[in-house]
mmCIF file of all heavy atoms in Angstrom:
data_model
loop_
_atom_site.group_PDB
_atom_site.id
_atom_site.type_symbol
_atom_site.label_atom_id
_atom_site.label_comp_id
_atom_site.label_asym_id
_atom_site.label_seq_id
_atom_site.Cartn_x
_atom_site.Cartn_y
_atom_site.Cartn_z
ATOM 1 N N ALA A 328 -9.202 -49.159 16.798
ATOM 2 C CA ALA A 328 -8.077 -50.095 16.840
ATOM 3 C C ALA A 328 -6.997 -49.662 15.855
ATOM 4 O O ALA A 328 -5.799 -49.712 16.166
ATOM 5 C CB ALA A 328 -8.565 -51.499 16.513
ATOM 6 N N ALA A 329 -7.430 -49.219 14.680
ATOM 7 C CA ALA A 329 -6.458 -48.767 13.681
ATOM 8 C C ALA A 329 -5.736 -47.531 14.187
ATOM 9 O O ALA A 329 -4.513 -47.406 14.049
ATOM 10 C CB ALA A 329 -7.168 -48.462 12.364
ATOM 11 N N GLY A 330 -6.498 -46.623 14.795
ATOM 12 C CA GLY A 330 -5.889 -45.419 15.362
ATOM 13 C C GLY A 330 -4.856 -45.765 16.410
ATOM 14 O O GLY A 330 -3.766 -45.167 16.460
ATOM 15 N N GLU A 331 -5.184 -46.759 17.174
ATOM 16 C CA GLU A 331 -4.261 -47.210 18.220
ATOM 17 C C GLU A 331 -2.982 -47.756 17.591
ATOM 18 O O GLU A 331 -1.869 -47.428 18.002
ATOM 19 C CB GLU A 331 -4.999 -48.267 19.047
ATOM 20 C CG GLU A 331 -4.160 -49.084 19.984
ATOM 21 C CD GLU A 331 -3.496 -48.242 21.066
ATOM 22 O OE1 GLU A 331 -4.038 -47.147 21.396
ATOM 23 O OE2 GLU A 331 -2.443 -48.650 21.558
ATOM 24 N N ALA A 332 -3.154 -48.594 16.571
ATOM 25 C CA ALA A 332 -1.986 -49.167 15.897
ATOM 26 C C ALA A 332 -1.133 -48.065 15.285
ATOM 27 O O ALA A 332 0.101 -48.076 15.403
ATOM 28 C CB ALA A 332 -2.442 -50.138 14.815
ATOM 29 N N ILE A 333 -1.809 -47.116 14.669
ATOM 30 C CA ILE A 333 -1.081 -46.018 14.039
ATOM 31 C C ILE A 333 -0.276 -45.250 15.074
ATOM 32 O O ILE A 333 0.885 -44.914 14.861
ATOM 33 C CB ILE A 333 -2.069 -45.074 13.319
ATOM 34 C CG1 ILE A 333 -2.583 -45.738 12.059
ATOM 35 C CG2 ILE A 333 -1.409 -43.764 12.982
ATOM 36 C CD1 ILE A 333 -3.695 -44.981 11.400
ATOM 37 N N SER A 334 -0.889 -45.008 16.203
ATOM 38 C CA SER A 334 -0.148 -44.190 17.159
ATOM 39 C C SER A 334 1.045 -44.956 17.704
ATOM 40 O O SER A 334 2.056 -44.357 18.060
ATOM 41 C CB SER A 334 -1.066 -43.663 18.256
ATOM 42 O OG SER A 334 -1.606 -44.713 18.977
ATOM 43 N N ARG A 335 0.954 -46.272 17.739
ATOM 44 C CA ARG A 335 2.152 -47.018 18.155
ATOM 45 C C ARG A 335 3.220 -46.936 17.072
ATOM 46 O O ARG A 335 4.412 -46.776 17.346
ATOM 47 C CB ARG A 335 1.786 -48.460 18.469
ATOM 48 C CG ARG A 335 1.002 -48.547 19.749
ATOM 49 C CD ARG A 335 1.152 -49.858 20.513
ATOM 50 N NE ARG A 335 1.811 -50.949 19.826
ATOM 51 C CZ ARG A 335 1.156 -51.934 19.227
ATOM 52 N NH1 ARG A 335 -0.150 -51.944 19.165
ATOM 53 N NH2 ARG A 335 1.819 -52.904 18.666
ATOM 54 N N PHE A 336 2.800 -47.048 15.837
ATOM 55 C CA PHE A 336 3.767 -46.940 14.735
ATOM 56 C C PHE A 336 4.449 -45.577 14.752
ATOM 57 O O PHE A 336 5.665 -45.459 14.666
ATOM 58 C CB PHE A 336 3.057 -47.110 13.388
ATOM 59 C CG PHE A 336 2.677 -48.518 13.072
ATOM 60 C CD1 PHE A 336 1.616 -48.783 12.216
ATOM 61 C CD2 PHE A 336 3.382 -49.577 13.613
ATOM 62 C CE1 PHE A 336 1.265 -50.088 11.914
ATOM 63 C CE2 PHE A 336 3.035 -50.878 13.313
ATOM 64 C CZ PHE A 336 1.973 -51.130 12.463
ATOM 65 N N ILE A 337 3.632 -44.569 14.847
ATOM 66 C CA ILE A 337 4.138 -43.223 14.636
ATOM 67 C C ILE A 337 5.063 -42.808 15.769
ATOM 68 O O ILE A 337 5.961 -41.991 15.589
ATOM 69 C CB ILE A 337 2.954 -42.250 14.457
ATOM 70 C CG1 ILE A 337 3.329 -41.121 13.499
ATOM 71 C CG2 ILE A 337 2.470 -41.694 15.762
ATOM 72 C CD1 ILE A 337 2.130 -40.309 13.052
ATOM 73 N N ARG A 338 4.858 -43.394 16.929
ATOM 74 C CA ARG A 338 5.739 -43.048 18.047
ATOM 75 C C ARG A 338 6.956 -43.969 18.114
ATOM 76 O O ARG A 338 7.808 -43.807 18.978
ATOM 77 C CB ARG A 338 4.939 -43.128 19.352
ATOM 78 C CG ARG A 338 4.114 -41.855 19.582
ATOM 79 C CD ARG A 338 3.474 -41.851 20.941
ATOM 80 N NE ARG A 338 2.145 -42.465 20.907
ATOM 81 C CZ ARG A 338 1.817 -43.579 21.565
ATOM 82 N NH1 ARG A 338 2.703 -44.193 22.312
ATOM 83 N NH2 ARG A 338 0.604 -44.071 21.473
ATOM 84 N N SER A 339 7.022 -44.923 17.206
ATOM 85 C CA SER A 339 8.120 -45.883 17.271
ATOM 86 C C SER A 339 9.452 -45.215 16.933
ATOM 87 O O SER A 339 9.509 -44.195 16.251
ATOM 88 C CB SER A 339 7.840 -47.007 16.288
ATOM 89 O OG SER A 339 9.036 -47.643 15.939
ATOM 90 N N ARG A 340 10.509 -45.800 17.433
ATOM 91 C CA ARG A 340 11.840 -45.273 17.097
ATOM 92 C C ARG A 340 12.241 -45.653 15.679
ATOM 93 O O ARG A 340 12.996 -44.945 15.026
ATOM 94 C CB ARG A 340 12.872 -45.874 18.056
ATOM 95 C CG ARG A 340 12.794 -45.264 19.421
ATOM 96 C CD ARG A 340 14.037 -44.412 19.696
ATOM 97 N NE ARG A 340 14.222 -44.326 21.138
ATOM 98 C CZ ARG A 340 14.981 -45.158 21.819
ATOM 99 N NH1 ARG A 340 15.654 -46.108 21.188
ATOM 100 N NH2 ARG A 340 15.102 -45.067 23.112
#
Side-chain angles (χ1 to χ4, degrees):
Chain A
E331 167 63 25
I333 287 172
S334 62
R335 288 208 349 261
F336 285 154
I337 213 168
R338 279 188 270 117
S339 157
R340 285 249 204 93

